Amino acid sequence: QAQLVESGGGLVKPGGSLRLSCATSGFTFIDHYMTWIRQAPGKGLEWISHISSSGSSTFYADSVKGRLTISRDNTENSLFLQMNSLRAEDTAVYYCARLRGWLIDLWGQGTQVTVSS
Amino acid sequence: EIVLTQSPDTLSLSPGERATLSCRASQSVSYRYLAWYQQKPGQAPRLLIFGASIRADGIPDRFSGSGSETDFTLTINRLEPEDFAVYYCHQYGSSPRTFGQGTKLE
């Protein structure tokens, strides 16, 4: 059964860094683009980044451009999100998700990131 | 950017009733690339409908989607207790991909 499991979230001070990981299993990872979606407290969903199956092409929302970096390791079937210069407004649950074409067809359970002094 | 506006924000119904949720786009959604997700507290969203009207695997046939261009609808017939959740529409036909703000079905 296909599965996505995020880790690496936590409490960090403004200006700090975190690295999120997403371990995948049950499907052929290299066949899929992958994305990170976040949900701030009491808010809706925001598509913040995606990466092509080879890792050669990436996209970032304006709200995170220059501060977050998406990457993947196709030998380890894993997705990553390096988060630098974190701000209070980055506080959210971060979901790893699988793309089928441009459709999100599978979500992880999410990892909480809290940016606070 | 395509802005998706869902209505109503909250829908109060009882089990057995029919729910009608609306999603309006600020521009035409390409190829009818409109999806609906269900999210329960503390859980990840679950794909219900894609391509505006195609049910995802394992989704009961009481869930149906319709619409095109800028107006889309999710209908849930004969509400079951497990259907009470937040529902999001999502367009994946244009970049940036965007979501509606959600409708809470209570």
PDB file of all heavy atoms in Angstrom, chain A residues 10 14-16 19 25 30 34 37 44-45 50-51 55 58 61-62 73 76 78 87 89 94 100-101 112 117:
ATOM      1  N   GLY A  10       9.039  20.613  14.078  1.00  0.00           N
ATOM      2  CA  GLY A  10       9.336  20.955  15.463  1.00  0.00           C
ATOM      3  C   GLY A  10       9.224  22.440  15.705  1.00  0.00           C
ATOM      4  O   GLY A  10       8.695  23.182  14.875  1.00  0.00           O
ATOM      5  N   PRO A  14      12.505  32.240  15.133  1.00  0.00           N
ATOM      6  CA  PRO A  14      12.545  33.012  13.882  1.00  0.00           C
ATOM      7  C   PRO A  14      13.974  33.152  13.383  1.00  0.00           C
ATOM      8  O   PRO A  14      14.904  33.410  14.171  1.00  0.00           O
ATOM      9  CB  PRO A  14      11.952  34.363  14.285  1.00  0.00           C
ATOM     10  CG  PRO A  14      11.049  34.037  15.435  1.00  0.00           C
ATOM     11  CD  PRO A  14      11.736  32.925  16.182  1.00  0.00           C
ATOM     12  N   GLY A  15      14.154  32.965  12.088  1.00  0.00           N
ATOM     13  CA  GLY A  15      15.482  33.004  11.485  1.00  0.00           C
ATOM     14  C   GLY A  15      16.175  31.653  11.461  1.00  0.00           C
ATOM     15  O   GLY A  15      17.222  31.501  10.819  1.00  0.00           O
ATOM     16  N   GLY A  16      15.599  30.679  12.135  1.00  0.00           N
ATOM     17  CA  GLY A  16      16.201  29.348  12.205  1.00  0.00           C
ATOM     18  C   GLY A  16      15.907  28.489  10.998  1.00  0.00           C
ATOM     19  O   GLY A  16      15.275  28.930  10.024  1.00  0.00           O
ATOM     20  N   ARG A  19      14.879  20.869   8.465  1.00  0.00           N
ATOM     21  CA  ARG A  19      14.865  20.034   7.265  1.00  0.00           C
ATOM     22  C   ARG A  19      13.788  18.977   7.436  1.00  0.00           C
ATOM     23  O   ARG A  19      13.876  18.146   8.340  1.00  0.00           O
ATOM     24  CB  ARG A  19      16.225  19.389   7.046  1.00  0.00           C
ATOM     25  CG  ARG A  19      16.301  18.471   5.817  1.00  0.00           C
ATOM     26  CD  ARG A  19      17.729  17.978   5.651  1.00  0.00           C
ATOM     27  NE  ARG A  19      17.904  16.903   4.700  1.00  0.00           N
ATOM     28  CZ  ARG A  19      18.095  17.061   3.387  1.00  0.00           C
ATOM     29  NH1 ARG A  19      18.088  18.269   2.868  1.00  0.00           N
ATOM     30  NH2 ARG A  19      18.285  16.016   2.609  1.00  0.00           N
ATOM     31  N   SER A  25       6.844   4.739   0.332  1.00  0.00           N
ATOM     32  CA  SER A  25       6.887   3.293   0.123  1.00  0.00           C
ATOM     33  C   SER A  25       5.631   2.850  -0.605  1.00  0.00           C
ATOM     34  O   SER A  25       4.635   3.579  -0.641  1.00  0.00           O
ATOM     35  CB  SER A  25       6.997   2.553   1.463  1.00  0.00           C
ATOM     36  OG  SER A  25       5.900   2.871   2.295  1.00  0.00           O
ATOM     37  N   ILE A  30      10.214   7.155  -8.432  1.00  0.00           N
ATOM     38  CA  ILE A  30      10.818   7.897  -9.529  1.00  0.00           C
ATOM     39  C   ILE A  30       9.808   8.195 -10.636  1.00  0.00           C
ATOM     40  O   ILE A  30      10.062   9.014 -11.517  1.00  0.00           O
ATOM     41  CB  ILE A  30      12.050   7.149 -10.084  1.00  0.00           C
ATOM     42  CG1 ILE A  30      12.954   8.093 -10.881  1.00  0.00           C
ATOM     43  CG2 ILE A  30      11.615   5.939 -10.919  1.00  0.00           C
ATOM     44  CD1 ILE A  30      14.279   7.486 -11.245  1.00  0.00           C
ATOM     45  N   MET A  34       6.562  15.248  -7.046  1.00  0.00           N
ATOM     46  CA  MET A  34       6.159  15.326  -5.648  1.00  0.00           C
ATOM     47  C   MET A  34       5.990  16.794  -5.249  1.00  0.00           C
ATOM     48  O   MET A  34       6.598  17.692  -5.851  1.00  0.00           O
ATOM     49  CB  MET A  34       7.194  14.662  -4.739  1.00  0.00           C
ATOM     50  CG  MET A  34       7.420  13.176  -4.998  1.00  0.00           C
ATOM     51  SD  MET A  34       6.006  12.139  -4.570  1.00  0.00           S
ATOM     52  CE  MET A  34       5.976  12.319  -2.773  1.00  0.00           C
ATOM     53  N   ILE A  37       2.771  20.766   0.522  1.00  0.00           N
ATOM     54  CA  ILE A  37       1.599  21.597   0.766  1.00  0.00           C
ATOM     55  C   ILE A  37       1.619  21.951   2.247  1.00  0.00           C
ATOM     56  O   ILE A  37       1.972  21.103   3.073  1.00  0.00           O
ATOM     57  CB  ILE A  37       0.296  20.832   0.452  1.00  0.00           C
ATOM     58  CG1 ILE A  37       0.322  20.209  -0.954  1.00  0.00           C
ATOM     59  CG2 ILE A  37      -0.921  21.732   0.653  1.00  0.00           C
ATOM     60  CD1 ILE A  37       0.292  21.198  -2.075  1.00  0.00           C
ATOM     61  N   GLY A  44      -6.550  27.553   5.158  1.00  0.00           N
ATOM     62  CA  GLY A  44      -6.672  26.567   4.098  1.00  0.00           C
ATOM     63  C   GLY A  44      -5.311  26.024   3.667  1.00  0.00           C
ATOM     64  O   GLY A  44      -4.306  26.154   4.353  1.00  0.00           O
ATOM     65  N   LEU A  45      -5.308  25.420   2.513  1.00  0.00           N
ATOM     66  CA  LEU A  45      -4.133  24.716   1.999  1.00  0.00           C
ATOM     67  C   LEU A  45      -3.362  25.595   1.014  1.00  0.00           C
ATOM     68  O   LEU A  45      -3.967  26.298   0.202  1.00  0.00           O
ATOM     69  CB  LEU A  45      -4.599  23.434   1.310  1.00  0.00           C
ATOM     70  CG  LEU A  45      -5.329  22.450   2.226  1.00  0.00           C
ATOM     71  CD1 LEU A  45      -6.189  21.490   1.421  1.00  0.00           C
ATOM     72  CD2 LEU A  45      -4.317  21.694   3.081  1.00  0.00           C
ATOM     73  N   HIS A  50       7.065  22.154  -5.679  1.00  0.00           N
ATOM     74  CA  HIS A  50       7.028  20.807  -6.257  1.00  0.00           C
ATOM     75  C   HIS A  50       8.323  20.540  -7.009  1.00  0.00           C
ATOM     76  O   HIS A  50       9.101  21.461  -7.301  1.00  0.00           O
ATOM     77  CB  HIS A  50       5.802  20.581  -7.134  1.00  0.00           C
ATOM     78  CG  HIS A  50       5.748  21.393  -8.403  1.00  0.00           C
ATOM     79  ND1 HIS A  50       4.856  22.412  -8.603  1.00  0.00           N
ATOM     80  CD2 HIS A  50       6.455  21.300  -9.559  1.00  0.00           C
ATOM     81  CE1 HIS A  50       5.014  22.924  -9.813  1.00  0.00           C
ATOM     82  NE2 HIS A  50       5.989  22.280 -10.410  1.00  0.00           N
ATOM     83  N   ILE A  51       8.548  19.264  -7.278  1.00  0.00           N
ATOM     84  CA  ILE A  51       9.795  18.835  -7.918  1.00  0.00           C
ATOM     85  C   ILE A  51       9.478  17.751  -8.932  1.00  0.00           C
ATOM     86  O   ILE A  51       8.601  16.903  -8.717  1.00  0.00           O
ATOM     87  CB  ILE A  51      10.806  18.346  -6.856  1.00  0.00           C
ATOM     88  CG1 ILE A  51      12.177  18.078  -7.479  1.00  0.00           C
ATOM     89  CG2 ILE A  51      10.277  17.128  -6.097  1.00  0.00           C
ATOM     90  CD1 ILE A  51      13.284  17.889  -6.429  1.00  0.00           C
ATOM     91  N   GLY A  55      14.168  15.384 -10.449  1.00  0.00           N
ATOM     92  CA  GLY A  55      14.714  16.393  -9.551  1.00  0.00           C
ATOM     93  C   GLY A  55      15.299  17.590 -10.268  1.00  0.00           C
ATOM     94  O   GLY A  55      15.785  18.522  -9.627  1.00  0.00           O
ATOM     95  N   THR A  58      12.101  22.453 -10.479  1.00  0.00           N
ATOM     96  CA  THR A  58      11.424  22.758  -9.221  1.00  0.00           C
ATOM     97  C   THR A  58      10.559  23.997  -9.374  1.00  0.00           C
ATOM     98  O   THR A  58      10.751  24.809 -10.294  1.00  0.00           O
ATOM     99  CB  THR A  58      12.422  22.986  -8.078  1.00  0.00           C
ATOM    100  OG1 THR A  58      13.301  24.067  -8.443  1.00  0.00           O
ATOM    101  CG2 THR A  58      13.235  21.747  -7.793  1.00  0.00           C
ATOM    102  N   ALA A  61       6.385  28.692  -4.444  1.00  0.00           N
ATOM    103  CA  ALA A  61       5.458  29.808  -4.310  1.00  0.00           C
ATOM    104  C   ALA A  61       6.237  31.051  -3.907  1.00  0.00           C
ATOM    105  O   ALA A  61       7.304  30.963  -3.273  1.00  0.00           O
ATOM    106  CB  ALA A  61       4.411  29.482  -3.250  1.00  0.00           C
ATOM    107  N   ASP A  62       5.719  32.211  -4.261  1.00  0.00           N
ATOM    108  CA  ASP A  62       6.402  33.457  -3.937  1.00  0.00           C
ATOM    109  C   ASP A  62       6.638  33.599  -2.434  1.00  0.00           C
ATOM    110  O   ASP A  62       7.638  34.189  -2.012  1.00  0.00           O
ATOM    111  CB  ASP A  62       5.582  34.650  -4.439  1.00  0.00           C
ATOM    112  CG  ASP A  62       5.613  34.785  -5.949  1.00  0.00           C
ATOM    113  OD1 ASP A  62       6.497  34.169  -6.589  1.00  0.00           O
ATOM    114  OD2 ASP A  62       4.755  35.500  -6.496  1.00  0.00           O
ATOM    115  N   ASP A  73      15.732  12.192  -3.198  1.00  0.00           N
ATOM    116  CA  ASP A  73      16.745  11.158  -3.370  1.00  0.00           C
ATOM    117  C   ASP A  73      16.028   9.936  -3.922  1.00  0.00           C
ATOM    118  O   ASP A  73      15.341   9.222  -3.173  1.00  0.00           O
ATOM    119  CB  ASP A  73      17.412  10.845  -2.035  1.00  0.00           C
ATOM    120  CG  ASP A  73      18.547   9.827  -2.163  1.00  0.00           C
ATOM    121  OD1 ASP A  73      18.556   9.044  -3.145  1.00  0.00           O
ATOM    122  OD2 ASP A  73      19.405   9.789  -1.285  1.00  0.00           O
ATOM    123  N   GLU A  76      16.794   6.547  -2.365  1.00  0.00           N
ATOM    124  CA  GLU A  76      16.232   6.316  -1.032  1.00  0.00           C
ATOM    125  C   GLU A  76      14.717   6.514  -1.000  1.00  0.00           C
ATOM    126  O   GLU A  76      14.106   6.400   0.063  1.00  0.00           O
ATOM    127  CB  GLU A  76      16.883   7.248  -0.011  1.00  0.00           C
ATOM    128  CG  GLU A  76      18.363   6.998   0.198  1.00  0.00           C
ATOM    129  CD  GLU A  76      18.626   5.681   0.934  1.00  0.00           C
ATOM    130  OE1 GLU A  76      17.751   5.245   1.713  1.00  0.00           O
ATOM    131  OE2 GLU A  76      19.693   5.083   0.713  1.00  0.00           O
ATOM    132  N   SER A  78      12.933   9.171  -1.150  1.00  0.00           N
ATOM    133  CA  SER A  78      12.639  10.197  -0.151  1.00  0.00           C
ATOM    134  C   SER A  78      12.591  11.591  -0.747  1.00  0.00           C
ATOM    135  O   SER A  78      13.304  11.893  -1.711  1.00  0.00           O
ATOM    136  CB  SER A  78      13.685  10.168   0.965  1.00  0.00           C
ATOM    137  OG  SER A  78      13.612   8.957   1.699  1.00  0.00           O
ATOM    138  N   ARG A  87      10.088  32.195   9.401  1.00  0.00           N
ATOM    139  CA  ARG A  87       9.312  33.312   9.950  1.00  0.00           C
ATOM    140  C   ARG A  87       8.090  32.766  10.695  1.00  0.00           C
ATOM    141  O   ARG A  87       7.683  31.621  10.464  1.00  0.00           O
ATOM    142  CB  ARG A  87       8.833  34.208   8.812  1.00  0.00           C
ATOM    143  CG  ARG A  87       9.908  34.696   7.884  1.00  0.00           C
ATOM    144  CD  ARG A  87       9.296  35.288   6.623  1.00  0.00           C
ATOM    145  NE  ARG A  87      10.310  35.795   5.705  1.00  0.00           N
ATOM    146  CZ  ARG A  87      10.064  36.128   4.441  1.00  0.00           C
ATOM    147  NH1 ARG A  87       8.834  36.034   3.943  1.00  0.00           N
ATOM    148  NH2 ARG A  87      11.037  36.580   3.674  1.00  0.00           N
ATOM    149  N   GLU A  89       5.108  33.354  10.145  1.00  0.00           N
ATOM    150  CA  GLU A  89       4.054  32.991   9.184  1.00  0.00           C
ATOM    151  C   GLU A  89       4.307  31.663   8.476  1.00  0.00           C
ATOM    152  O   GLU A  89       3.461  31.192   7.720  1.00  0.00           O
ATOM    153  CB  GLU A  89       3.844  34.099   8.144  1.00  0.00           C
ATOM    154  CG  GLU A  89       5.074  34.520   7.403  1.00  0.00           C
ATOM    155  CD  GLU A  89       5.736  35.750   8.021  1.00  0.00           C
ATOM    156  OE1 GLU A  89       5.726  35.867   9.268  1.00  0.00           O
ATOM    157  OE2 GLU A  89       6.290  36.561   7.254  1.00  0.00           O
ATOM    158  N   TYR A  94       2.935  20.757   7.564  1.00  0.00           N
ATOM    159  CA  TYR A  94       3.506  20.555   6.230  1.00  0.00           C
ATOM    160  C   TYR A  94       3.226  19.128   5.772  1.00  0.00           C
ATOM    161  O   TYR A  94       3.560  18.160   6.469  1.00  0.00           O
ATOM    162  CB  TYR A  94       5.013  20.832   6.249  1.00  0.00           C
ATOM    163  CG  TYR A  94       5.315  22.313   6.323  1.00  0.00           C
ATOM    164  CD1 TYR A  94       5.111  23.027   7.505  1.00  0.00           C
ATOM    165  CD2 TYR A  94       5.762  23.011   5.204  1.00  0.00           C
ATOM    166  CE1 TYR A  94       5.343  24.391   7.575  1.00  0.00           C
ATOM    167  CE2 TYR A  94       6.007  24.377   5.259  1.00  0.00           C
ATOM    168  CZ  TYR A  94       5.794  25.060   6.453  1.00  0.00           C
ATOM    169  OH  TYR A  94       6.028  26.418   6.512  1.00  0.00           O
ATOM    170  N   ARG A 100       0.000  12.803  -9.520  1.00  0.00           N
ATOM    171  CA  ARG A 100      -0.311  11.983 -10.704  1.00  0.00           C
ATOM    172  C   ARG A 100      -0.700  12.976 -11.787  1.00  0.00           C
ATOM    173  O   ARG A 100      -1.800  13.526 -11.784  1.00  0.00           O
ATOM    174  CB  ARG A 100      -1.442  11.009 -10.406  1.00  0.00           C
ATOM    175  CG  ARG A 100      -1.707   9.985 -11.503  1.00  0.00           C
ATOM    176  CD  ARG A 100      -2.781   9.012 -11.057  1.00  0.00           C
ATOM    177  NE  ARG A 100      -4.106   9.592 -11.190  1.00  0.00           N
ATOM    178  CZ  ARG A 100      -5.181   9.162 -10.513  1.00  0.00           C
ATOM    179  NH1 ARG A 100      -5.077   8.186  -9.640  1.00  0.00           N
ATOM    180  NH2 ARG A 100      -6.364   9.705 -10.714  1.00  0.00           N
ATOM    181  N   GLY A 101       0.225  13.214 -12.714  1.00  0.00           N
ATOM    182  CA  GLY A 101       0.069  14.398 -13.551  1.00  0.00           C
ATOM    183  C   GLY A 101       0.223  15.579 -12.612  1.00  0.00           C
ATOM    184  O   GLY A 101       1.210  15.668 -11.881  1.00  0.00           O
ATOM    185  N   GLN A 112       4.212  19.049  11.971  1.00  0.00           N
ATOM    186  CA  GLN A 112       3.971  20.395  12.480  1.00  0.00           C
ATOM    187  C   GLN A 112       5.286  21.169  12.551  1.00  0.00           C
ATOM    188  O   GLN A 112       6.273  20.683  13.120  1.00  0.00           O
ATOM    189  CB  GLN A 112       3.338  20.340  13.867  1.00  0.00           C
ATOM    190  CG  GLN A 112       3.153  21.703  14.532  1.00  0.00           C
ATOM    191  CD  GLN A 112       2.062  22.534  13.886  1.00  0.00           C
ATOM    192  OE1 GLN A 112       0.967  22.062  13.637  1.00  0.00           O
ATOM    193  NE2 GLN A 112       2.369  23.802  13.604  1.00  0.00           N
ATOM    194  N   SER A 117       9.586  32.528  19.101  1.00  0.00           N
ATOM    195  CA  SER A 117      10.688  32.793  20.017  1.00  0.00           C
ATOM    196  C   SER A 117      10.325  32.384  21.436  1.00  0.00           C
ATOM    197  O   SER A 117      11.163  32.461  22.337  1.00  0.00           O
ATOM    198  CB  SER A 117      11.055  34.275  19.980  1.00  0.00           C
ATOM    199  OG  SER A 117       9.925  35.071  20.228  1.00  0.00           O
TER     200      SER A 117
END
